[in-house]
Amino acid sequence: MRAFRVSRPNATPELTRIETPEPGPGQIRVAIRACGLNFADLLMIKGTYQDTPEAPFTLGMEVSGVVDSVGPGVEGLRPGDRVAVYAGQGGLADFGVFEATRVVRIPDSMNFEDAAAFQIAHGTSHIALDHRAKMQPGETLLVTGAAGGVGLSAVQIGKLMGATVIAQARGRDKLEVARAAGADHLIDAEEDLRARVLELGGADVVYDAVGGDTWTAAFRACRPEARLLPIGFASGEVPQIPANHLLVKNLTVIGFYIGGYLKFRPDVVRSSFETLIGWITEGRLKPHVSHVLPLERAGEGLGLLRSRKATGKVIITP
């Protein structure tokens, strides 16, 4: 079968042929129909992601497809089932073998592109805003990097949860994408973020995918008792948090990493995915996919993420 592989850290991934794997106990093999790309894939190539597999390995963290084969001990799944899998790796290939515990069945009405697009971005936003920040209807949510895959999902889910959403992104085109996703207020990355947010009354919840100076400005635009979620560091700068400022305004900084929940509270991830699948099939939520490319163009897809030319998700279809 074909697989888009990393042979060693910092090596350019290549499409190559490897043996089709067989499922072991508790595993299933999936004929992959779609795979979502993530910024974490770029970090894995460099070997700097916290869950980077040992090379050589196949890239691709979130997949959808059809169960092709079932290993010993697997119950509730059979060949022909349509599924979504938070795989962690192995998705950029014709077939993949995954732990059955990471699999969620998807309805016939859900297309494979949406099933591969929602898992990490929308799962991260839903669990972060609902389970961790416990955001309430009527609160004000500030989303930075709001046109990226994770940021855009936070805009959508924030609106579904009843928040007033302030979206920050770079350039009019990206801001219009955020507006279409439901943002109530738009702030260009070139503007004074702190001043603009304070003009709008301040933020109750900050969902920051950028870090650096953007985090600092958002931090200073919080209302008392606000909750801040440092989701990512697209700027390349991990912010340092002044604890004395937390005290003055009674702020809470909340750590969250969806991959960690797969290890100690997988039930939280599964419950979130089931909620999100319901919203998608009901037409209340639609993952934004800016590019759909074949497996032969997976490198081009990663380049779109690297250059920040994509909005929402880039999907690869073997």
Side-chain angles (χ1 to χ4, degrees):
M1 70 173 195
R2 299 172 304 159
F4 194 65
R5 304 270 286 176
V6 174
S7 60
R8 64 185 186 280
N10 275 321
T12 301
E14 295 181 341
L15 187 61
T16 186
R17 288 197 171 271
I18 62 173
E19 291 293 322
T20 303
E22 295 293 331
Q27 297 180 326
I28 64 167
R29 184 171 67 204
V30 175
I32 297 169
R33 297 291 184 263
C35 177
L37 299 185
N38 291 274
F39 189 76
D41 290 310
L42 300 177
L43 299 180
M44 284 189 188
I45 294 170
K46 296 190 292 185
T48 59
Y49 188 61
Q50 57 261 37
D51 283 334
T52 299
E54 184 176 348
F57 64 91
T58 300
L59 290 165
M61 299 179 69
E62 53 187 338
V63 307
S64 63
V66 178
V67 176
D68 174 71
S69 180
V70 175
V74 174
E75 298 180 356
L77 292 167
R78 60 184 182 182
D81 284 347
R82 304 173 82 251
V83 295
V85 190
Y86 185 173
Q89 61 168 302
L92 289 176
D94 292 315
F95 295 89
V97 167
F98 311 111
E99 298 297 322
T101 55
R102 294 193 171 211
V103 176
V104 178
R105 294 180 66 179
I106 60 174
D108 291 342
S109 59
M110 189 176 193
N111 67 55
F112 289 119
E113 287 80 7
D114 284 350
F118 87 90
Q119 299 172 47
I120 293 177
H122 290 82
T124 292
S125 294
H126 181 243
I127 299 171
L129 295 175
D130 183 37
H131 181 73
R132 295 293 283 143
K134 295 179 172 35
M135 190 173 69
Q136 300 299 309
E139 291 193 306
T140 296
L141 167 66
L142 169 61
V143 180
T144 69
V150 174
L152 198 60
S153 70
V155 173
Q156 293 177 309
I157 290 172
K159 285 302 295 181
L160 277 173
M161 293 179 64
T164 297
V165 179
I166 304 172
Q168 185 232 33
R170 187 174 300 280
R172 181 52 49 186
D173 290 346
K174 290 186 176 181
L175 287 171
E176 286 304 320
V177 171
R179 187 198 299 277
D184 299 285
H185 305 284
L186 306 175
I187 301 175
D188 194 284
E190 299 297 325
E191 298 181 72
D192 185 330
L193 178 63
R194 174 177 178 266
R196 285 293 314 281
V197 174
L198 288 176
E199 286 173 5
L200 296 168
D204 297 300
V205 178
V206 171
Y207 186 99
D208 177 44
V210 179
D213 292 340
T214 299
W215 165 273
T216 302
F219 187 95
R220 297 174 64 200
C222 286
R223 292 173 176 169
E225 295 191 327
R227 290 88 73 204
L228 299 97
L229 295 148
I231 295 298
F233 316 112
S235 68
E237 182 180 344
V238 178
Q240 302 303 303
I241 299 166
N244 58 324
H245 292 187
L246 295 178
L247 302 183
V248 171
K249 295 180 76 172
N250 292 283
L251 304 178
T252 302
V253 178
I254 302 172
F256 174 67
Y257 165 52
I258 190 172
Y261 271 80
L262 285 173
K263 299 173 183 177
F264 70 89
R265 285 293 305 276
D267 59 299
V268 171
V269 179
R270 179 174 292 275
S271 175
S272 173
F273 281 11
E274 290 171 351
T275 296
L276 292 167
I277 288 170
W279 285 349
I280 293 170
T281 55
E282 291 165 8
R284 300 176 64 194
L285 178 66
K286 175 67 175 176
H288 177 82
V289 176
S290 63
H291 296 80
V292 178
L293 302 171
L295 186 57
E296 295 82 4
R297 296 172 65 186
E300 179 182 336
L302 290 172
L304 291 168
L305 296 188
R306 190 179 292 109
S307 63
R308 293 180 172 81
K309 291 181 178 178
T311 57
K313 297 293 292 187
V314 175
I315 299 296
I316 303 299
T317 55

